[in-house]
PDB file of all heavy atoms in Angstrom:
ATOM      1  N   PRO R   1     -98.712 164.611 -68.115  1.00  0.00           N
ATOM      2  CA  PRO R   1     -98.017 164.351 -66.866  1.00  0.00           C
ATOM      3  C   PRO R   1     -96.745 165.162 -66.772  1.00  0.00           C
ATOM      4  O   PRO R   1     -96.118 165.523 -67.739  1.00  0.00           O
ATOM      5  CB  PRO R   1     -97.729 162.839 -66.803  1.00  0.00           C
ATOM      6  CG  PRO R   1     -97.973 162.365 -68.210  1.00  0.00           C
ATOM      7  CD  PRO R   1     -98.700 163.354 -68.905  1.00  0.00           C
ATOM      8  N   ILE R   2     -96.265 165.493 -65.516  1.00  0.00           N
ATOM      9  CA  ILE R   2     -95.169 166.281 -65.322  1.00  0.00           C
ATOM     10  C   ILE R   2     -94.140 165.479 -64.443  1.00  0.00           C
ATOM     11  O   ILE R   2     -94.538 164.813 -63.478  1.00  0.00           O
ATOM     12  CB  ILE R   2     -95.526 167.524 -64.490  1.00  0.00           C
ATOM     13  CG1 ILE R   2     -96.588 168.354 -65.263  1.00  0.00           C
ATOM     14  CG2 ILE R   2     -94.312 168.408 -64.232  1.00  0.00           C
ATOM     15  CD1 ILE R   2     -97.286 169.397 -64.410  1.00  0.00           C
ATOM     16  N   GLU R   3     -92.865 165.494 -64.773  1.00  0.00           N
ATOM     17  CA  GLU R   3     -91.862 164.790 -63.959  1.00  0.00           C
ATOM     18  C   GLU R   3     -91.564 165.674 -62.777  1.00  0.00           C
ATOM     19  O   GLU R   3     -91.228 166.926 -62.968  1.00  0.00           O
ATOM     20  CB  GLU R   3     -90.636 164.496 -64.763  1.00  0.00           C
ATOM     21  CG  GLU R   3     -90.792 163.301 -65.653  1.00  0.00           C
ATOM     22  CD  GLU R   3     -89.583 162.634 -66.106  1.00  0.00           C
ATOM     23  OE1 GLU R   3     -88.547 162.713 -65.412  1.00  0.00           O
ATOM     24  OE2 GLU R   3     -89.645 161.961 -67.118  1.00  0.00           O
ATOM     25  N   VAL R   4     -91.655 165.146 -61.604  1.00  0.00           N
ATOM     26  CA  VAL R   4     -91.509 165.936 -60.395  1.00  0.00           C
ATOM     27  C   VAL R   4     -90.715 165.118 -59.385  1.00  0.00           C
ATOM     28  O   VAL R   4     -90.914 163.875 -59.263  1.00  0.00           O
ATOM     29  CB  VAL R   4     -92.907 166.219 -59.701  1.00  0.00           C
ATOM     30  CG1 VAL R   4     -92.806 166.910 -58.376  1.00  0.00           C
ATOM     31  CG2 VAL R   4     -93.825 166.976 -60.690  1.00  0.00           C
ATOM     32  N   VAL R   5     -89.752 165.776 -58.640  1.00  0.00           N
ATOM     33  CA  VAL R   5     -89.094 165.150 -57.528  1.00  0.00           C
ATOM     34  C   VAL R   5     -89.874 165.549 -56.268  1.00  0.00           C
ATOM     35  O   VAL R   5     -90.106 166.729 -55.989  1.00  0.00           O
ATOM     36  CB  VAL R   5     -87.626 165.688 -57.418  1.00  0.00           C
ATOM     37  CG1 VAL R   5     -86.942 165.184 -56.145  1.00  0.00           C
ATOM     38  CG2 VAL R   5     -86.844 165.232 -58.675  1.00  0.00           C
ATOM     39  N   VAL R   6     -90.314 164.497 -55.585  1.00  0.00           N
ATOM     40  CA  VAL R   6     -91.057 164.701 -54.315  1.00  0.00           C
ATOM     41  C   VAL R   6     -90.052 164.487 -53.169  1.00  0.00           C
ATOM     42  O   VAL R   6     -89.572 163.375 -52.999  1.00  0.00           O
ATOM     43  CB  VAL R   6     -92.239 163.701 -54.250  1.00  0.00           C
ATOM     44  CG1 VAL R   6     -93.001 163.884 -52.935  1.00  0.00           C
ATOM     45  CG2 VAL R   6     -93.198 163.847 -55.415  1.00  0.00           C
ATOM     46  N   GLU R   7     -89.762 165.530 -52.488  1.00  0.00           N
ATOM     47  CA  GLU R   7     -88.879 165.484 -51.354  1.00  0.00           C
ATOM     48  C   GLU R   7     -89.669 165.238 -50.055  1.00  0.00           C
ATOM     49  O   GLU R   7     -90.631 166.011 -49.799  1.00  0.00           O
ATOM     50  CB  GLU R   7     -88.013 166.755 -51.180  1.00  0.00           C
ATOM     51  CG  GLU R   7     -87.152 166.955 -52.395  1.00  0.00           C
ATOM     52  CD  GLU R   7     -86.358 168.284 -52.266  1.00  0.00           C
ATOM     53  OE1 GLU R   7     -86.216 168.852 -51.181  1.00  0.00           O
ATOM     54  OE2 GLU R   7     -85.980 168.844 -53.312  1.00  0.00           O
ATOM     55  N   LEU R   8     -89.383 164.202 -49.319  1.00  0.00           N
ATOM     56  CA  LEU R   8     -90.138 163.864 -48.072  1.00  0.00           C
ATOM     57  C   LEU R   8     -89.544 164.469 -46.871  1.00  0.00           C
ATOM     58  O   LEU R   8     -88.296 164.743 -46.832  1.00  0.00           O
ATOM     59  CB  LEU R   8     -90.217 162.380 -47.945  1.00  0.00           C
ATOM     60  CG  LEU R   8     -90.854 161.590 -49.070  1.00  0.00           C
ATOM     61  CD1 LEU R   8     -90.858 160.115 -48.747  1.00  0.00           C
ATOM     62  CD2 LEU R   8     -92.232 162.109 -49.408  1.00  0.00           C
ATOM     63  N   ASN R   9     -90.334 164.772 -45.862  1.00  0.00           N
ATOM     64  CA  ASN R   9     -89.825 165.253 -44.615  1.00  0.00           C
ATOM     65  C   ASN R   9     -89.120 164.065 -43.913  1.00  0.00           C
ATOM     66  O   ASN R   9     -89.782 163.018 -43.695  1.00  0.00           O
ATOM     67  CB  ASN R   9     -90.974 165.765 -43.691  1.00  0.00           C
ATOM     68  CG  ASN R   9     -91.431 167.164 -44.162  1.00  0.00           C
ATOM     69  OD1 ASN R   9     -90.574 168.031 -44.318  1.00  0.00           O
ATOM     70  ND2 ASN R   9     -92.717 167.327 -44.263  1.00  0.00           N
ATOM     71  N   PRO R  10     -87.908 164.200 -43.546  1.00  0.00           N
ATOM     72  CA  PRO R  10     -87.209 163.069 -42.934  1.00  0.00           C
ATOM     73  C   PRO R  10     -87.725 162.847 -41.510  1.00  0.00           C
ATOM     74  O   PRO R  10     -88.089 163.814 -40.828  1.00  0.00           O
ATOM     75  CB  PRO R  10     -85.748 163.531 -42.945  1.00  0.00           C
ATOM     76  CG  PRO R  10     -85.754 164.939 -42.981  1.00  0.00           C
ATOM     77  CD  PRO R  10     -87.053 165.348 -43.770  1.00  0.00           C
ATOM     78  N   GLU R  11     -87.714 161.585 -41.148  1.00  0.00           N
ATOM     79  CA  GLU R  11     -88.028 161.253 -39.727  1.00  0.00           C
ATOM     80  C   GLU R  11     -86.795 161.471 -38.944  1.00  0.00           C
ATOM     81  O   GLU R  11     -85.663 161.510 -39.527  1.00  0.00           O
ATOM     82  CB  GLU R  11     -88.563 159.811 -39.634  1.00  0.00           C
ATOM     83  CG  GLU R  11     -89.904 159.612 -40.329  1.00  0.00           C
ATOM     84  CD  GLU R  11     -90.466 158.285 -40.014  1.00  0.00           C
ATOM     85  OE1 GLU R  11     -89.974 157.531 -39.156  1.00  0.00           O
ATOM     86  OE2 GLU R  11     -91.544 157.988 -40.615  1.00  0.00           O
ATOM     87  N   PRO R  12     -86.886 161.728 -37.590  1.00  0.00           N
ATOM     88  CA  PRO R  12     -85.691 161.947 -36.818  1.00  0.00           C
ATOM     89  C   PRO R  12     -84.728 160.762 -36.973  1.00  0.00           C
ATOM     90  O   PRO R  12     -85.126 159.607 -37.056  1.00  0.00           O
ATOM     91  CB  PRO R  12     -86.240 161.976 -35.401  1.00  0.00           C
ATOM     92  CG  PRO R  12     -87.664 162.300 -35.512  1.00  0.00           C
ATOM     93  CD  PRO R  12     -88.096 161.762 -36.846  1.00  0.00           C
ATOM     94  N   SER R  13     -83.419 161.056 -37.002  1.00  0.00           N
ATOM     95  CA  SER R  13     -82.417 160.056 -37.163  1.00  0.00           C
ATOM     96  C   SER R  13     -82.259 159.220 -35.903  1.00  0.00           C
ATOM     97  O   SER R  13     -82.359 159.794 -34.769  1.00  0.00           O
ATOM     98  CB  SER R  13     -81.029 160.746 -37.442  1.00  0.00           C
ATOM     99  OG  SER R  13     -81.084 161.474 -38.579  1.00  0.00           O
ATOM    100  N   PRO R  14     -82.025 157.900 -36.048  1.00  0.00           N
ATOM    101  CA  PRO R  14     -81.834 157.060 -34.926  1.00  0.00           C
ATOM    102  C   PRO R  14     -80.512 157.517 -34.194  1.00  0.00           C
ATOM    103  O   PRO R  14     -79.583 157.917 -34.784  1.00  0.00           O
ATOM    104  CB  PRO R  14     -81.614 155.675 -35.498  1.00  0.00           C
ATOM    105  CG  PRO R  14     -81.994 155.813 -36.968  1.00  0.00           C
ATOM    106  CD  PRO R  14     -81.983 157.188 -37.349  1.00  0.00           C
ATOM    107  N   LYS R  15     -80.595 157.407 -32.854  1.00  0.00           N
ATOM    108  CA  LYS R  15     -79.481 157.874 -32.058  1.00  0.00           C
ATOM    109  C   LYS R  15     -78.659 156.679 -31.458  1.00  0.00           C
ATOM    110  O   LYS R  15     -77.554 156.902 -30.958  1.00  0.00           O
ATOM    111  CB  LYS R  15     -79.986 158.717 -30.878  1.00  0.00           C
ATOM    112  CG  LYS R  15     -80.726 159.967 -31.306  1.00  0.00           C
ATOM    113  CD  LYS R  15     -79.883 160.941 -32.011  1.00  0.00           C
ATOM    114  CE  LYS R  15     -80.650 162.149 -32.386  1.00  0.00           C
ATOM    115  NZ  LYS R  15     -80.197 162.814 -33.570  1.00  0.00           N
ATOM    116  N   SER R  16     -79.259 155.494 -31.481  1.00  0.00           N
ATOM    117  CA  SER R  16     -78.488 154.391 -30.858  1.00  0.00           C
ATOM    118  C   SER R  16     -78.281 153.249 -31.933  1.00  0.00           C
ATOM    119  O   SER R  16     -78.862 153.249 -32.984  1.00  0.00           O
ATOM    120  CB  SER R  16     -79.305 153.792 -29.699  1.00  0.00           C
ATOM    121  OG  SER R  16     -80.546 153.282 -30.176  1.00  0.00           O
ATOM    122  N   GLY R  17     -77.375 152.346 -31.571  1.00  0.00           N
ATOM    123  CA  GLY R  17     -77.077 151.237 -32.475  1.00  0.00           C
ATOM    124  C   GLY R  17     -75.714 151.554 -33.196  1.00  0.00           C
ATOM    125  O   GLY R  17     -75.196 152.654 -33.146  1.00  0.00           O
ATOM    126  N   THR R  18     -75.310 150.538 -33.958  1.00  0.00           N
ATOM    127  CA  THR R  18     -74.073 150.676 -34.709  1.00  0.00           C
ATOM    128  C   THR R  18     -74.394 151.569 -35.916  1.00  0.00           C
ATOM    129  O   THR R  18     -75.557 151.864 -36.230  1.00  0.00           O
ATOM    130  CB  THR R  18     -73.533 149.347 -35.250  1.00  0.00           C
ATOM    131  OG1 THR R  18     -74.519 148.800 -36.160  1.00  0.00           O
ATOM    132  CG2 THR R  18     -73.307 148.338 -34.107  1.00  0.00           C
ATOM    133  N   ARG R  19     -73.367 152.040 -36.593  1.00  0.00           N
ATOM    134  CA  ARG R  19     -73.568 152.862 -37.802  1.00  0.00           C
ATOM    135  C   ARG R  19     -74.477 152.101 -38.779  1.00  0.00           C
ATOM    136  O   ARG R  19     -75.431 152.672 -39.334  1.00  0.00           O
ATOM    137  CB  ARG R  19     -72.225 153.189 -38.452  1.00  0.00           C
ATOM    138  CG  ARG R  19     -72.339 154.071 -39.647  1.00  0.00           C
ATOM    139  CD  ARG R  19     -70.968 154.432 -40.220  1.00  0.00           C
ATOM    140  NE  ARG R  19     -71.003 155.355 -41.288  1.00  0.00           N
ATOM    141  CZ  ARG R  19     -71.093 155.050 -42.565  1.00  0.00           C
ATOM    142  NH1 ARG R  19     -71.084 153.777 -42.912  1.00  0.00           N
ATOM    143  NH2 ARG R  19     -71.188 155.967 -43.499  1.00  0.00           N
ATOM    144  N   GLY R  20     -74.207 150.869 -39.051  1.00  0.00           N
ATOM    145  CA  GLY R  20     -74.984 150.034 -39.979  1.00  0.00           C
ATOM    146  C   GLY R  20     -76.427 149.907 -39.500  1.00  0.00           C
ATOM    147  O   GLY R  20     -77.383 149.969 -40.331  1.00  0.00           O
ATOM    148  N   GLU R  21     -76.638 149.758 -38.202  1.00  0.00           N
ATOM    149  CA  GLU R  21     -78.018 149.653 -37.685  1.00  0.00           C
ATOM    150  C   GLU R  21     -78.738 150.961 -37.917  1.00  0.00           C
ATOM    151  O   GLU R  21     -79.903 150.997 -38.217  1.00  0.00           O
ATOM    152  CB  GLU R  21     -77.990 149.233 -36.183  1.00  0.00           C
ATOM    153  CG  GLU R  21     -77.571 147.769 -36.004  1.00  0.00           C
ATOM    154  CD  GLU R  21     -77.260 147.479 -34.552  1.00  0.00           C
ATOM    155  OE1 GLU R  21     -77.046 148.454 -33.718  1.00  0.00           O
ATOM    156  OE2 GLU R  21     -77.314 146.282 -34.159  1.00  0.00           O
ATOM    157  N   ARG R  22     -78.089 152.107 -37.583  1.00  0.00           N
ATOM    158  CA  ARG R  22     -78.672 153.453 -37.784  1.00  0.00           C
ATOM    159  C   ARG R  22     -79.098 153.656 -39.213  1.00  0.00           C
ATOM    160  O   ARG R  22     -80.105 154.171 -39.538  1.00  0.00           O
ATOM    161  CB  ARG R  22     -77.817 154.507 -37.197  1.00  0.00           C
ATOM    162  CG  ARG R  22     -77.694 154.534 -35.701  1.00  0.00           C
ATOM    163  CD  ARG R  22     -76.976 155.715 -35.148  1.00  0.00           C
ATOM    164  NE  ARG R  22     -75.768 156.159 -35.850  1.00  0.00           N
ATOM    165  CZ  ARG R  22     -74.503 155.758 -35.578  1.00  0.00           C
ATOM    166  NH1 ARG R  22     -74.313 154.874 -34.628  1.00  0.00           N
ATOM    167  NH2 ARG R  22     -73.544 156.214 -36.307  1.00  0.00           N
ATOM    168  N   ILE R  23     -78.225 153.251 -40.187  1.00  0.00           N
ATOM    169  CA  ILE R  23     -78.475 153.402 -41.543  1.00  0.00           C
ATOM    170  C   ILE R  23     -79.693 152.569 -41.933  1.00  0.00           C
ATOM    171  O   ILE R  23     -80.572 153.035 -42.655  1.00  0.00           O
ATOM    172  CB  ILE R  23     -77.220 153.019 -42.449  1.00  0.00           C
ATOM    173  CG1 ILE R  23     -76.144 154.077 -42.246  1.00  0.00           C
ATOM    174  CG2 ILE R  23     -77.604 152.864 -43.872  1.00  0.00           C
ATOM    175  CD1 ILE R  23     -74.845 153.733 -42.858  1.00  0.00           C
ATOM    176  N   ALA R  24     -79.754 151.278 -41.470  1.00  0.00           N
ATOM    177  CA  ALA R  24     -80.854 150.432 -41.796  1.00  0.00           C
ATOM    178  C   ALA R  24     -82.132 151.000 -41.263  1.00  0.00           C
ATOM    179  O   ALA R  24     -83.215 150.998 -41.872  1.00  0.00           O
ATOM    180  CB  ALA R  24     -80.594 149.054 -41.166  1.00  0.00           C
ATOM    181  N   GLN R  25     -82.137 151.613 -40.011  1.00  0.00           N
ATOM    182  CA  GLN R  25     -83.307 152.179 -39.451  1.00  0.00           C
ATOM    183  C   GLN R  25     -83.774 153.395 -40.252  1.00  0.00           C
ATOM    184  O   GLN R  25     -84.986 153.571 -40.507  1.00  0.00           O
ATOM    185  CB  GLN R  25     -83.041 152.555 -37.993  1.00  0.00           C
ATOM    186  CG  GLN R  25     -82.864 151.390 -37.018  1.00  0.00           C
ATOM    187  CD  GLN R  25     -82.353 151.844 -35.669  1.00  0.00           C
ATOM    188  OE1 GLN R  25     -82.280 153.020 -35.391  1.00  0.00           O
ATOM    189  NE2 GLN R  25     -82.004 150.817 -34.849  1.00  0.00           N
ATOM    190  N   ALA R  26     -82.788 154.224 -40.638  1.00  0.00           N
ATOM    191  CA  ALA R  26     -83.153 155.407 -41.427  1.00  0.00           C
ATOM    192  C   ALA R  26     -83.763 155.042 -42.738  1.00  0.00           C
ATOM    193  O   ALA R  26     -84.748 155.625 -43.247  1.00  0.00           O
ATOM    194  CB  ALA R  26     -81.921 156.298 -41.621  1.00  0.00           C
ATOM    195  N   ARG R  27     -83.200 153.987 -43.398  1.00  0.00           N
ATOM    196  CA  ARG R  27     -83.705 153.550 -44.684  1.00  0.00           C
ATOM    197  C   ARG R  27     -85.113 152.947 -44.506  1.00  0.00           C
ATOM    198  O   ARG R  27     -85.951 153.252 -45.334  1.00  0.00           O
ATOM    199  CB  ARG R  27     -82.777 152.513 -45.252  1.00  0.00           C
ATOM    200  CG  ARG R  27     -83.114 152.105 -46.690  1.00  0.00           C
ATOM    201  CD  ARG R  27     -82.130 151.150 -47.231  1.00  0.00           C
ATOM    202  NE  ARG R  27     -82.272 151.089 -48.655  1.00  0.00           N
ATOM    203  CZ  ARG R  27     -81.400 150.699 -49.474  1.00  0.00           C
ATOM    204  NH1 ARG R  27     -80.180 150.362 -49.053  1.00  0.00           N
ATOM    205  NH2 ARG R  27     -81.671 150.687 -50.787  1.00  0.00           N
ATOM    206  N   ALA R  28     -85.347 152.175 -43.467  1.00  0.00           N
ATOM    207  CA  ALA R  28     -86.636 151.613 -43.242  1.00  0.00           C
ATOM    208  C   ALA R  28     -87.705 152.627 -42.942  1.00  0.00           C
ATOM    209  O   ALA R  28     -88.850 152.623 -43.421  1.00  0.00           O
ATOM    210  CB  ALA R  28     -86.537 150.625 -42.060  1.00  0.00           C
ATOM    211  N   ALA R  29     -87.236 153.703 -42.229  1.00  0.00           N
ATOM    212  CA  ALA R  29     -88.196 154.796 -41.919  1.00  0.00           C
ATOM    213  C   ALA R  29     -88.585 155.523 -43.243  1.00  0.00           C
ATOM    214  O   ALA R  29     -89.780 155.872 -43.437  1.00  0.00           O
ATOM    215  CB  ALA R  29     -87.582 155.798 -40.964  1.00  0.00           C
ATOM    216  N   PHE R  30     -87.595 155.755 -44.078  1.00  0.00           N
ATOM    217  CA  PHE R  30     -87.958 156.421 -45.426  1.00  0.00           C
ATOM    218  C   PHE R  30     -88.917 155.493 -46.179  1.00  0.00           C
ATOM    219  O   PHE R  30     -89.863 156.008 -46.786  1.00  0.00           O
ATOM    220  CB  PHE R  30     -86.664 156.616 -46.206  1.00  0.00           C
ATOM    221  CG  PHE R  30     -86.881 156.888 -47.679  1.00  0.00           C
ATOM    222  CD1 PHE R  30     -87.388 158.084 -48.035  1.00  0.00           C
ATOM    223  CD2 PHE R  30     -86.775 155.942 -48.694  1.00  0.00           C
ATOM    224  CE1 PHE R  30     -87.673 158.392 -49.383  1.00  0.00           C
ATOM    225  CE2 PHE R  30     -87.084 156.243 -49.977  1.00  0.00           C
ATOM    226  CZ  PHE R  30     -87.506 157.476 -50.358  1.00  0.00           C
ATOM    227  N   GLU R  31     -88.668 154.192 -46.236  1.00  0.00           N
ATOM    228  CA  GLU R  31     -89.482 153.368 -47.083  1.00  0.00           C
ATOM    229  C   GLU R  31     -90.889 153.340 -46.555  1.00  0.00           C
ATOM    230  O   GLU R  31     -91.895 153.330 -47.323  1.00  0.00           O
ATOM    231  CB  GLU R  31     -88.866 151.877 -47.051  1.00  0.00           C
ATOM    232  CG  GLU R  31     -87.659 151.781 -47.913  1.00  0.00           C
ATOM    233  CD  GLU R  31     -87.799 152.166 -49.380  1.00  0.00           C
ATOM    234  OE1 GLU R  31     -88.946 152.037 -49.928  1.00  0.00           O
ATOM    235  OE2 GLU R  31     -86.865 152.587 -49.989  1.00  0.00           O
ATOM    236  N   ARG R  32     -91.099 153.318 -45.214  1.00  0.00           N
ATOM    237  CA  ARG R  32     -92.470 153.440 -44.675  1.00  0.00           C
ATOM    238  C   ARG R  32     -93.163 154.662 -45.103  1.00  0.00           C
ATOM    239  O   ARG R  32     -94.340 154.648 -45.503  1.00  0.00           O
ATOM    240  CB  ARG R  32     -92.405 153.329 -43.096  1.00  0.00           C
ATOM    241  CG  ARG R  32     -92.242 151.988 -42.525  1.00  0.00           C
ATOM    242  CD  ARG R  32     -92.458 151.997 -41.021  1.00  0.00           C
ATOM    243  NE  ARG R  32     -91.564 152.933 -40.274  1.00  0.00           N
ATOM    244  CZ  ARG R  32     -90.312 152.702 -39.896  1.00  0.00           C
ATOM    245  NH1 ARG R  32     -89.791 151.524 -40.113  1.00  0.00           N
ATOM    246  NH2 ARG R  32     -89.690 153.596 -39.273  1.00  0.00           N
ATOM    247  N   GLN R  33     -92.517 155.788 -45.004  1.00  0.00           N
ATOM    248  CA  GLN R  33     -93.076 157.045 -45.321  1.00  0.00           C
ATOM    249  C   GLN R  33     -93.307 157.128 -46.884  1.00  0.00           C
ATOM    250  O   GLN R  33     -94.383 157.575 -47.374  1.00  0.00           O
ATOM    251  CB  GLN R  33     -92.183 158.246 -44.891  1.00  0.00           C
ATOM    252  CG  GLN R  33     -92.770 159.530 -45.055  1.00  0.00           C
ATOM    253  CD  GLN R  33     -92.178 160.567 -44.062  1.00  0.00           C
ATOM    254  OE1 GLN R  33     -92.307 160.314 -42.940  1.00  0.00           O
ATOM    255  NE2 GLN R  33     -91.580 161.542 -44.604  1.00  0.00           N
TER     256      GLN R  33
END
């Protein structure tokens, strides 16, 4: 086996909500992908 970093294509960043809400949305989108 080979150790590899898999970089994912990011989903578009949320445009609305508070900073905390946008961070939570971005994190949830990453977790789904």
Side-chain angles (χ1 to χ4, degrees):
I2 304 167
E3 284 202 23
V4 177
V5 173
V6 179
E7 298 177 22
L8 302 180
N9 283 312
E11 292 191 9
S13 298
K15 302 293 183 210
S16 63
T18 65
R19 181 176 186 269
E21 290 169 338
R22 291 190 316 269
I23 289 170
Q25 291 170 8
R27 187 175 195 160
F30 165 76
E31 290 301 332
R32 282 190 302 274
Q33 189 154 298

